[in-house]
Every structure is written in structure tokens, then in C-alpha cells.
Amino acid sequence: MKKVFVFSPKRIIVIVTALTIGLFFVTSSVQSKGRGGSRTARTSALQAGTAKVDITPKKPVNMAGYGARKGLSKDVHDPLSARIIVFENNDKRLVLVSSDLIGFYDGTAEYIRKAIVDEFQLEPSELFLSAIHTHAGPTLTMDKEKGHPNNLEYTEHLKVKLIEVIRKALSNMGPVNIGAGIGYSPVGANRRELTFDSSGNSSIRLGRNPYGPTDKEVLVAKMTKPNGKTMAALFDYASHGTCLGGKNYTISGDVLGLAEQFVEKILGDDVITAAFAGASGNIDPWFRVLPAFNTEPGWIPEPVLLGTMLGEEVVHVFRDIGKVSGDGEIATAFITLELPGKPRSEDTIEKNHPPTPLNITAARVGDIAFVGIGCEVLTEIGMAIKAASPYKHTFVISHCNGAAGYLPPEHLYIEGGYEIRSSPFAPQAADMVVKQAVKMLHEL
Ligand SMILES: [Zn+2]
């Protein structure tokens, strides 16, 4: 464990009390400006701002997610966006960034996080920089040797756009009420398929395992203005953005992106709908890795079908959320864990392999909790965190504030398979992550 930043309300009270005693005789003219200077005055009423920006590549780009796919994107099926939800209360901020991208790989998480944290003087715990893991979007890169110039340019523009859109969200802060509800969707399926060779030897391959564990929960948060007007929707669902496969050269948000777009179409374009990929390391869409949007007459293209199905459940849950509250306290925490590691692309567990760092971010707004994990968490881990969370509504968010690779639960290492082989974590890491996340939730 390296860095720990925990800002629980209790600790803040202790710190504030100490500071108050210390400063009592100094001056009476000091104003309590927030960090960043422009934070709203102290209030117990929750404030929120939202904004959305188009991040569809303007030029052909290398596409992320399938190593064998070479060549540049050919066209765009649906626009990619970044959606921002900012909460503020009592000088405490929470900036949620949902982006229609695969994730912030190859050092881009640290690079873009630092730019945002510095620009807005955030605590590391106050930023959730996340991606919905679409495999039909651009590769982010800062590698001038290997990266395509269009991708390098895209990544730089993305950084600037994210800063601008967060600034926009911060400029339209106002009182907000928030509530949450739960639905379920069969759109995601466990992809660890058991197969046998002619000698009867078993192995796990990427496919469909309809009986395997799948977190089917659709967790939805609803934000409304004090006059009742709907303002934003947040939803969390565990699925890879891999309805489209490595033969596809069309840009798309895939299932989660299409679900966001569907909900915005139904609720109104001004109701920003931000998706978060849940614990989806071993979950693919029911229809997976297809070569293209099928244009056969009468056929509904699978990404659209599944995105619409998920989106309709989000709207059902959203409309059923009756209780919203405007006095949500904000608390956040961040840690970089040094977890037992193993070589990537190997099944072997070396004894003295160096540890693999992993960022975990926890936050709550009132009694709605968020756990951001900087890697691809397998579904069993997300379910464990939710089951042990002291909060009924806990968003478990993969691909958040880092991109460390697959984190499988210990019992799956015996079976092996793609996620195990490519994981940079040793078997005991998952249990440590679950315990740490739950501890952080309790301390918020
Ligand atoms: Zn993945």
C-alpha cells in the first residue's frame, strides 16, 4: 500500500476543529475559499452540474481492443461522447467522467488524470476517469514511435476536450436531488465457455457460457432539479463493449454507448445519461465479436438490439425512482494498492515477481456509493463488493482511474483461460481488492 488519501466526514470534522482552534486568534478576515478558488460556498444542500461533449474521431484512427486488427477506421455508426457529472457539497467535489472509449491504456490514465486534477485542484479521490470499454472506438496513445499520428492527435485533443467539458459542468452547478433504483438485464453473458478436445481434455475459451455467473444488475441513479425537472441519469451495467469484433472498422459506442444514446433519445437530449461499465472482465454481450452492423432487410443489428434492450431497462428503472434527496453529503477516498503480481500472458506464478499497482477510488453522494477500480474486474468480484457494501446502491466501475489488466477471482486460476493468462495479478490479489474496497466504503 503506497498512498492513502481518506477524507471521511469524521476526519474532516477533526481537521476542521483543529484548524478552527489554531486559526481562532489569527484573523477574522480569512474567507474559507475552497481549493480551486471557485467552489461553491459551504452548504449542506447538494449541488450538481452536467455536461457532454462529442469525442467522435474526426479522422480515420486505429481502433482499440483487438491486437490483430490493423488499418484505420472507415466510418462512424453512432457518435462517441464524454459525459460529465460533478457533485459538490461543503467544499467537497466529486467529478464523474464517463467516456465512450475502451479505457485509458498505455499511460493515458495517469497523463489525463494529472491534467484534470491539476487544472481543477482536485484531490486524487475526487476524480473518477472512466470508460465504457467499447472495442469500436479509437486507441489512445502518447507513443510517438508506434502510435498513428491521428491517434496521437486524438489523444491530445481528448485531454483538452475533457478539461473544457468539466469546466462547462462546473459552470452550471445548481441544487440537485438524487435517488437510485435497481433493475436487471440479460444483455450480458458470461463468456468463459468450457470446451473439450478429442481426448476429453477441457479448457476455457472465449465464447458464451449461459449458465456462468453474470452480474445482471442495472443500477440507475436519477438526478432532478428542485422543481422536479429531470437533469441526468447514471447507470452501471457489467458488459464488455464487444458486440462488434476485430473485423469491424466502424466507430460505435457498442452496447453501452447505444444504450446511453437510446436513453437520451427517450428522456430528452438535455438529460445527460452517463454509463459505467460494471465488473465485466468475463462478461460479453449476448451476441459477441460480430464483423459488422448487419444490414440485411428486416434484421435489427445486434449492437442496436442489445443497446436498446438495456436502455429500455434503464428508462423503466429511472421512471420508477420515486424518492430523491437533496442533502447528500460527499465523501471520497483513493488508494494505490501494490498487489501480488504475475507475468502477463503466462499461467505461471513466479515467486518473486514484482507487485502490480492498482488504483481504487471510493466515493459516496448521500447513500449512493461508487467504487472505481483501475483494471478489468471479473464479475464475481463486483458482486462480492456489492454484497458486502454498507450501501444498498453501490456503483462498481471498471476501467476507472487506470488500466492495469484483468483481475480474476482466485478460484478461476485453476480453470485458466484468457483473462487468467493475460492477468498481471497473482491469484490472491482479488480478495485483497474486495476487502480494501469494502473497508474504504465503510470509512466514507
Ligand atoms: Zn476487456
Side-chain angles (χ1 to χ4, degrees):
M1 291 184 202
K2 252 177 22 187
K3 306 169 212 158
V4 188
F5 305 90
V6 177
F7 291 88
S8 69
K10 262 187 236 158
R11 284 179 196 208
I12 288 170
I13 289 166
V14 172
I15 293 163
V16 169
T17 308
L19 287 176
T20 309
I21 293 165
L23 292 175
F24 187 74
F25 297 104
V26 179
T27 173
S28 60
S29 65
V30 175
Q31 291 180 336
S32 77
K33 273 189 194 170
R35 286 161 294 120
S38 59
R39 295 182 184 218
T40 52
R42 286 185 176 277
T43 165
S44 60
L46 185 64
Q47 310 277 310
T50 60
K52 176 176 149 183
V53 65
D54 186 284
I55 56 167
T56 314
K58 299 277 180 284
K59 297 177 182 173
V61 283
N62 276 321
M63 295 172 73
Y66 302 101
R69 178 168 52 190
K70 308 292 176 208
L72 302 176
S73 57
K74 295 197 173 106
D75 52 1
V76 175
H77 178 273
D78 51 273
L80 307 183
S81 300
R83 295 167 172 89
I84 312 295
I85 314 280
V86 183
F87 294 103
E88 202 169 289
N89 196 356
N90 277 331
D91 202 29
K92 190 86 191 108
R93 254 181 203 164
L94 176 62
V95 178
L96 302 176
V97 179
S98 156
S99 60
D100 296 341
L101 297 166
I102 192 165
F104 295 85
Y105 290 85
D106 297 325
T108 55
E110 295 73 20
Y111 177 61
I112 294 178
R113 261 179 68 76
K114 186 174 185 320
I116 295 171
V117 162
D118 288 353
E119 181 70 26
F120 301 105
Q121 297 180 42
L122 301 172
E123 296 296 334
S125 62
E126 292 178 321
L127 174 62
F128 281 58
L129 177 67
S130 73
I132 61 168
H133 208 47
T134 173
H135 284 46
T139 303
L140 300 187
T141 182
M142 303 177 311
D143 187 341
K144 294 197 171 69
E145 307 280 295
K146 290 186 215 139
H148 190 279
N150 291 358
N151 289 73
L152 287 161
E153 186 186 305
Y154 179 87
T155 308
E156 268 311 302
H157 283 174
L158 177 72
K159 183 187 81 178
V160 174
K161 278 187 177 180
L162 288 179
I163 287 173
E164 280 170 8
V165 71
I166 293 171
R167 198 186 314 286
K168 191 174 167 198
L170 284 164
S171 73
N172 67 27
M173 302 290 290
V176 67
N177 293 324
I178 184 166
I182 292 171
Y184 300 91
S185 176
V187 157
N190 193 299
R191 68 182 193 180
R192 289 171 54 79
E193 186 177 317
L194 181 65
T195 54
F196 295 90
D197 66 15
S198 53
S199 310
N201 300 312
S202 69
S203 64
I204 300 286
R205 63 160 204 174
L206 293 179
R208 188 194 287 166
N209 173 8
Y211 303 101
T214 310
D215 184 357
K216 292 188 166 54
E217 190 174 274
V218 183
L219 181 52
V220 181
K222 173 182 185 173
M223 294 164 60
T224 59
K225 293 187 173 164
N227 64 7
K229 191 177 179 311
T230 49
M231 182 177 172
L234 284 68
F235 73 92
D236 189 23
Y237 185 69
S239 178
H240 259 70
T242 48
C243 197
L244 296 158
K247 292 198 170 70
N248 167 61
Y249 285 89
T250 298
I251 297 284
S252 170
D254 209 281
V255 174
L256 288 185
L258 288 159
E260 289 173 320
Q261 294 161 38
F262 172 83
V263 176
E264 288 176 349
K265 199 165 65 191
I266 298 299
L267 297 180
D269 207 32
D270 54 335
V271 181
I272 287 172
T273 302
F276 299 94
S280 46
N282 48 345
I283 309 299
D284 269 351
W286 183 260
F287 299 112
R288 62 183 296 277
V289 198
L290 300 168
F293 285 88
N294 187 341
T295 54
E296 263 174 90
W299 189 275
I300 301 169
E302 292 85 345
V304 176
L305 181 70
L306 298 181
T308 306
M309 189 159 170
L310 178 58
E312 289 194 5
E313 181 71 358
V314 172
V315 174
H316 275 291
V317 177
F318 186 91
R319 287 179 173 162
D320 281 347
I321 297 171
K323 193 173 160 281
V324 290
S325 160
D327 55 6
E329 187 181 44
I330 297 172
T332 63
F334 178 86
I335 191 170
T336 303
L337 284 182
E338 294 291 339
L339 293 164
K342 82 163 183 62
R344 279 176 196 265
S345 310
E346 283 179 41
D347 290 318
T348 52
I349 316 292
E350 285 172 14
K351 250 200 170 156
N352 294 318
H353 197 78
T356 302
L358 176 69
N359 292 337
I360 304 178
T361 320
R364 75 177 172 89
V365 176
D367 54 7
I368 300 171
F370 302 87
V371 177
I373 304 180
C375 70
E376 289 198 55
V377 185
L378 269 66
T379 206
E380 293 87 343
I381 296 167
M383 287 193 273
I385 292 172
K386 286 188 198 176
S389 171
Y391 300 97
K392 185 181 172 196
H393 301 115
T394 302
F395 284 69
V396 172
I397 304 171
S398 286
H399 319 289
C400 179
N401 290 340
Y406 285 99
L407 180 68
E410 186 164 10
H411 69 273
L412 293 182
Y413 281 73
I414 299 167
E415 291 179 5
Y418 173 72
E419 300 89 355
I420 314 300
R421 206 164 44 247
S422 53
S423 171
F425 298 105
Q428 64 271 37
D431 202 36
M432 296 164 77
V433 170
V434 172
K435 285 189 173 136
Q436 180 64 41
V438 172
K439 180 168 176 275
M440 288 164 86
L441 286 167
H442 274 278
E443 287 173 355
L444 287 174

